[in-house]
């Protein structure tokens, strides 16, 4: 509503309306999540399609990996929906992670299928027919089932460790990403072999000129054969330099969720600079039970002259009325107002007798 009327206000150049706070951040985050999901997930799938086309050079070879990945995402999203959880700025990363990590399993399966098919043809010295597809699929499953499953388990172990985090969003990221990876591993070993009965993969041809990427890796392998010790030394030096950067790591609890040029961030900075900001710090004082002064008026030991005087001194200390103190040394803090009964009690003199 405010944004609607901002555009209709006359003399907007001389008047600025700024509003910030948790309700606006929640609303903005919800809109960003919906917008990003419409962009990030299709972009991830599109990039994988391009890589698959370059690798297998066949449109049919793209169908199987995309089908496996989409089924894994649908399963994960369905589980989140049935449980009743909601997406947030952290868990929205589940889909791209599942797409990128899970697609590696089905690509490994298809590549092994091509290799087994080539071995089968060379051993039989005949073209592949529909009768030997099952033998090739069985040989492929025998070769990749254990490696792919173990890889998926180790990946899940890494993500499932996030469940011990005290932050619920991080827990959900680890849990649902693990669910998606397990689902894709299951579809890789079941759905992909079933689709291979109907979609023919391009054959590997020996003796054919390899692509640019293969030639590059051949050069790397040849260089490793002659300079393996030198490569180890290079990686140790790079790792040492990176380790020095770890000493510069710091923890910043402030959430830089929104772009710096967004109106939300600009309004928040304006309010923080001109007013007292949108964050509040609440101090709650409660009396211990069983104290001797528990029987004082209204059975509340906080309503005594001694307590009220202590609150008055605390308020003066926070406002630094008696000179600079520890509060002034805290960077970024600005105390503009304190909601306290001290001012009211000081005015009416009630409870101070």
């Amino acid at each position: 509503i405010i944004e609607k009327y901002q555009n209709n206000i006359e003399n907007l150049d001389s008047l600025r309306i700024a509003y910030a706070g948790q309700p606006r951040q929640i609303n903005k985050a919800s809109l960003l999540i919906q917008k990003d999901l419409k962009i990030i997930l299709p972009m991830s799938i599109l990039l994988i399609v391009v890589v698959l086309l370059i690798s297998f050079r066949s449109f049919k070879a793209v169908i199987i990996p995309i089908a496996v990945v989409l089924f894994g995402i649908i399963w994960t999203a369905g589980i989140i929906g049935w449980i009743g959880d909601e997406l947030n700025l952290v868990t929205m990363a589940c889909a791209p992670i599942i797409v990128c990590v899970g697609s590696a399993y089905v690509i490994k399966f298809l590549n092994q299928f091509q290799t087994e098919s080539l071995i089968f043809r060379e051993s039989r010295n005949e073209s592949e027919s529909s009768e030997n597809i099952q033998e090739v699929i069985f040989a492929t499953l025998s070769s990749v089932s254990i490696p792919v499953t173990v890889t998926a388990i180790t990946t899940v172990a890494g993500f499932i460790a996030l469940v011990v985090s005290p932050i619920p969003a991080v827990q959900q990221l680890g849990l649902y990403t693990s669910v998606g990876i397990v689902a894709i591993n299951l579809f890789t070993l079941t759905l992909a072999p079933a689709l291979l009965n109907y979609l023919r993969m391009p054959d590997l041809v020996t003796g054919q000129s390899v692509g640019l990427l293969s030639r590059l890796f051949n050069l790397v392998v040849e260089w490793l054969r002659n300079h393996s010790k030198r490569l180890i030394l290079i990686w140790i030096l790079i790792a040492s330099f990176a380790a020095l950067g770890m000493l510069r790591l710091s923890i910043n609890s402030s959430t830089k969720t929104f772009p710096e040029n967004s109106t939300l961030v600009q309004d928040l900075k304006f309010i923080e600079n001109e007013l007292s900001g949108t964050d509040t710090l609440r101090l709650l004082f409660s009396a211990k039970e069983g104290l001797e002064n528990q029987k004082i008026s209204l059975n509340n030991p906080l309503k005594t002259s001694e307590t009220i005087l202590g609150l008055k001194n605390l308020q003066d200390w926070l406002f630094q009325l008696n000179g600079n103190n520890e509060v002034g040394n805290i960077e970024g803090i600005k105390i503009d107002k304190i909601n306290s009964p001290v001012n009211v009690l000081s005015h009416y003199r009630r409870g101070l007798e």
Side-chain angles (χ1 to χ4, degrees):
I1 296 176
I2 295 177
E3 292 178 353
K4 175 182 177 181
Y5 283 97
Q6 276 181 333
N7 300 327
N8 298 329
I9 295 177
E10 298 180 357
N11 300 324
L12 192 59
D13 296 336
S14 59
L15 176 64
R16 177 177 179 182
I17 299 178
Y19 63 104
Q22 187 176 11
R24 186 184 183 187
Q25 294 180 5
I26 294 175
N27 178 264
K28 187 68 174 179
S30 177
L31 296 177
L32 286 178
I33 291 174
Q34 297 177 20
K35 180 180 178 181
D36 288 347
L37 284 177
K38 295 178 181 178
I39 298 176
I40 295 177
L41 181 58
M43 184 64 67
S44 301
I45 296 178
L46 177 61
L47 292 176
I48 290 179
V49 168
V50 173
V51 173
L52 291 173
L53 287 175
I54 296 175
S55 302
F56 293 103
R57 300 177 183 179
S58 172
F59 286 99
K60 291 184 179 180
V62 176
I63 297 177
I64 297 178
I66 296 302
V68 170
V69 168
L70 289 179
F71 269 78
I73 293 176
I74 292 173
W75 268 41
T76 306
I79 291 174
I80 296 175
W82 280 111
I83 292 177
D85 280 342
E86 298 176 342
L87 292 178
N88 52 54
L89 292 174
V90 177
T91 54
M92 65 171 292
C94 285
I97 292 176
I98 293 173
V99 170
C100 298
V101 176
S103 59
Y105 305 147
V106 65
I107 291 174
K108 168 62 180 175
F109 177 86
L110 295 179
N111 180 261
Q112 185 64 32
F113 176 83
Q114 288 181 313
T115 303
E116 295 292 342
S117 178
L118 177 61
I119 295 174
F120 187 87
R121 292 198 314 272
E122 291 179 346
S123 61
R124 295 292 181 89
N125 193 23
E126 60 182 8
S127 61
E128 184 180 346
S129 63
S130 58
E131 297 179 354
N132 57 45
I133 286 291
Q134 296 299 327
E135 298 182 25
V136 177
I137 293 177
F138 178 79
T140 303
L141 287 173
S142 301
S143 301
V144 303
S145 294
I146 295 179
V148 169
T149 303
V150 171
T151 303
I153 291 175
T154 55
T155 306
V156 168
F159 280 105
I160 206 68
L162 298 177
V163 176
V164 302
S165 173
I167 304 175
V170 177
Q171 296 176 358
Q172 295 170 355
L173 175 65
L175 176 61
Y176 295 136
T177 303
S178 300
V179 170
I181 292 175
V182 171
I184 288 185
N185 180 70
L186 174 64
F187 289 130
T188 299
L189 301 179
T190 55
L191 179 62
L195 292 176
L196 285 174
N197 288 285
Y198 305 98
L199 297 174
R200 181 181 178 86
M201 289 288 296
D203 298 328
L204 290 177
V205 180
T206 58
Q208 187 177 2
S209 59
V210 294
L212 178 61
L213 189 61
S214 298
R215 289 197 296 268
L216 177 61
F217 280 115
N218 289 335
L219 292 176
V220 173
V221 171
E222 186 64 26
W223 191 85
L224 287 175
R225 184 182 303 172
N226 301 322
H227 307 283
S228 57
K229 293 183 179 179
R230 186 180 301 178
L231 180 66
I232 294 175
L233 179 60
I234 292 174
W235 286 127
I236 291 176
L237 293 176
I238 295 176
S240 302
F241 180 76
L244 295 177
M246 295 176 59
L247 302 176
R248 300 171 58 89
L249 286 176
S250 60
I251 299 176
N252 187 356
S253 59
S254 62
T255 56
K256 297 181 178 179
T257 306
F258 306 100
E260 290 292 331
N261 58 351
S262 65
T263 56
L264 188 150
V265 176
Q266 293 176 1
D267 288 352
L268 180 60
K269 289 182 177 180
F270 176 79
I271 294 176
E272 288 178 346
N273 295 331
E274 301 297 331
L275 301 174
S276 59
T278 60
D279 297 328
T280 59
L281 175 64
R282 294 177 175 86
L283 300 178
L284 176 63
F285 298 91
S286 59
K288 296 181 179 179
E289 298 181 357
L291 298 179
E292 295 181 358
N293 57 358
Q294 191 78 24
K295 299 180 181 180
I296 300 178
S297 117
L298 299 179
N299 295 323
N300 191 343
L302 294 179
K303 294 182 178 180
T304 62
S305 58
E306 182 181 2
T307 302
I308 298 300
L309 181 60
L311 291 175
K312 179 64 169 61
N313 294 333
L314 174 62
Q315 182 172 320
D316 294 342
W317 179 78
L318 291 173
F319 276 123
Q320 307 180 64
L321 297 180
N322 299 323
N324 190 25
N325 52 39
E326 295 86 346
V327 178
N329 298 329
I330 302 177
E331 182 180 358
I333 189 172
K334 179 181 179 182
I335 301 177
D336 182 74
K337 182 181 180 181
I338 296 180
N339 298 314
S340 172
V342 173
N343 298 329
V344 179
L345 294 174
S346 178
H347 178 73
Y348 289 100
R349 304 296 296 174
R350 294 181 179 178
L352 296 181
E353 290 78 3

